[in-house]
Amino acid sequence: MDAANGDELRTTERVLTLLGLLQQRRAWTGPELAGRLGVTARTVRRDVERLRTLGYPVHADPGIGGGYRLGPGTDLPPLLLDDEEAIATVVSLIAGAAGAVPGAGDAALRALSKLDRVLPTRLRHEVRALSASVESFGAAPTPIDPSTLMTLAAACRDEVEAGFDYPSGTAVRRRRVEPYRLVASDRRWYLLAYDLDRDDWRTFRVDRMTDVAARTWRYHPRSAPDAAAYVQEGVANRVYPHRVRLLVHASADTVRTRISASAAVVRPRGNERCEVLSGAGSLDAILLHVVMLGHDFEILDPPELATRARALAQKLLSVGTATPPAEDAPAP
């Protein structure tokens, strides 16, 4: 029985090695594969049949230039990555998931959490070192510890509680949460989670977290808000002392090219108008930005913004119609 188990293990290892070879390049000849695996051409044919039975579309092309090749299938088969490929994949996901490809952030995090589950311990320090060497310019997200991102992504995936230290006013307090989703803006990562101590949904900036740890205690998922919309509205609107609603006479797509997602929520209102929700520390700052959009707009809320707009308009009109001071006559 032990001998049979040993033979089965060796066969499994050989078939996995064969799959890895087929994923490395477009085509292999039978003798090439036999030499790499240290078996006969007949054994290669048997192992190819085993892969086909498992659903891998391995094609055999006869003649000169032919050989075995792995073709496209109806489903994405599991990929076998060596150490260098695994490190490069994880680093790329960490560096680019926050916005390098629009709409790819959530999918990148799911892939990252899957890799985190199988990544060997010996590779983790290399991932951390290489991630620290990746930099960006422009609207790059605030740098964060890659292990923090993977810990939170895994906690969301596994539906387990998490804890971290987080600043609150002048103090730093321990927070206990049920993590739901990680959301990437054009500048930062945020965690949407249910705060167990405050009994409500909260948004946390990942770059402000310290001592992040996931527990083994699983929670029952609650009815949750739309993560991206909730976080965006909180970042662009709810955190500010002044919050406004504006009706801009331009399409939502046009306005989104002029306002970053972290600065305002833009909702379409037909083909040629949109509603803009935003916030700022002062009403004047909001007026300045909406005027710079270059489109007509209406103030929906709050009423005091309309009052402030009229006052500023009068001031600008008075500046435009003022008589310039006469130049001093030259001295005799």
Side-chain angles (χ1 to χ4, degrees), residues 269-282:
R269 292 290 182 264
N271 294 329
E272 298 300 328
R273 298 193 302 176
C274 64
E275 183 177 329
V276 175
L277 289 80
S278 188
S282 71

Side-chain angles (χ1 to χ4, degrees), residues 93 108-118 150 153-155 157:
L93 288 170
L109 280 176
R110 292 198 304 270
L112 190 62
S113 66
K114 291 178 181 179
L115 284 171
D116 176 58
R117 177 177 286 177
V118 299
M150 286 195 286
R157 174 200 66 201

Side-chain angles (χ1 to χ4, degrees), residues 11-12 14-15 18 42-56 58:
T11 300
T12 301
R14 189 178 65 246
V15 171
L18 172 61
R42 182 179 181 182
T43 300
V44 169
R45 290 194 293 271
R46 289 177 178 173
D47 289 346
V48 166
E49 286 302 320
R50 291 186 176 97
L51 287 177
R52 288 170 176 164
T53 301
L54 293 173
Y56 292 94
V58 182

Side-chain angles (χ1 to χ4, degrees), residues 207-252:
D207 60 293
R208 290 180 175 175
M209 298 178 182
T210 54
D211 195 17
V212 179
R215 303 179 61 190
T216 57
W217 183 266
R218 299 196 64 181
Y219 62 84
H220 183 71
R222 305 170 187 267
S223 178
D226 180 273
Y230 186 93
V231 172
Q232 184 192 11
E233 188 169 342
V235 171
N237 186 268
R238 286 193 299 265
V239 297
Y240 293 101
H242 297 285
R243 290 172 280 179
V244 304
R245 288 193 309 124
L246 305 165
L247 185 65
V248 180
H249 292 215
S251 69

Side-chain angles (χ1 to χ4, degrees), residues 12-231:
T12 301
E13 292 175 345
R14 189 178 65 246
V15 171
L16 288 175
T17 302
L18 172 61
L19 177 59
L21 291 172
L22 291 172
Q23 290 177 344
Q24 282 182 14
R25 75 185 201 193
R26 187 177 183 278
W28 294 83
T29 66
E32 285 177 328
L33 290 174
R36 286 294 192 101
L37 298 173
V39 295
T40 64
R42 182 179 181 182
T43 300
V44 169
R45 290 194 293 271
R46 289 177 178 173
D47 289 346
V48 166
E49 286 302 320
R50 291 186 176 97
L51 287 177
R52 288 170 176 164
T53 301
L54 293 173
Y56 292 94
V58 182
H59 303 298
D61 299 324
I64 299 175
Y68 293 103
R69 60 183 177 84
L70 189 63
T74 56
D75 298 313
L76 180 67
L79 299 176
L80 298 181
L81 303 177
D82 60 27
D83 286 3
E84 291 183 355
E85 292 167 340
I87 292 172
T89 301
V90 174
V91 171
S92 298
L93 288 170
I94 293 171
V101 180
D106 188 55
L109 280 176
R110 292 198 304 270
L112 190 62
S113 66
K114 291 178 181 179
L115 284 171
D116 176 58
R117 177 177 286 177
V118 299
L119 195 66
T121 303
R122 68 178 185 277
L123 301 183
R124 291 183 180 273
H125 75 280
E126 296 186 47
V127 168
R128 182 186 295 263
L130 285 174
S131 298
S133 70
V134 176
E135 296 186 7
S136 305
F137 62 89
T142 303
I144 58 175
D145 187 340
S147 63
T148 295
L149 194 63
M150 286 195 286
T151 297
L152 293 173
C156 293
R157 174 200 66 201
D158 298 336
E159 297 177 347
V160 295
E161 292 182 12
F164 49 84
D165 294 336
Y166 199 78
S168 178
T170 59
V172 176
R173 305 182 188 281
R174 191 69 180 172
R175 309 297 283 266
R176 299 184 308 115
V177 302
E178 295 175 353
Y180 177 62
R181 289 288 187 274
L182 279 164
V183 178
S185 76
D186 53 352
R187 292 182 296 173
R188 298 185 179 95
W189 283 100
Y190 297 89
L191 173 70
L192 175 62
Y194 194 85
D195 193 315
L196 295 171
D197 295 321
R198 288 157 178 78
D199 198 25
D200 199 2
W201 290 98
R202 290 289 188 271
T203 298
F204 301 94
R205 275 178 50 176
V206 176
D207 60 293
R208 290 180 175 175
M209 298 178 182
T210 54
D211 195 17
V212 179
R215 303 179 61 190
T216 57
W217 183 266
R218 299 196 64 181
Y219 62 84
H220 183 71
R222 305 170 187 267
S223 178
D226 180 273
Y230 186 93
V231 172

Side-chain angles (χ1 to χ4, degrees), residues 2 128 221 286 312 325:
D2 290 340
R128 182 186 295 263
I286 295 173
L312 284 176

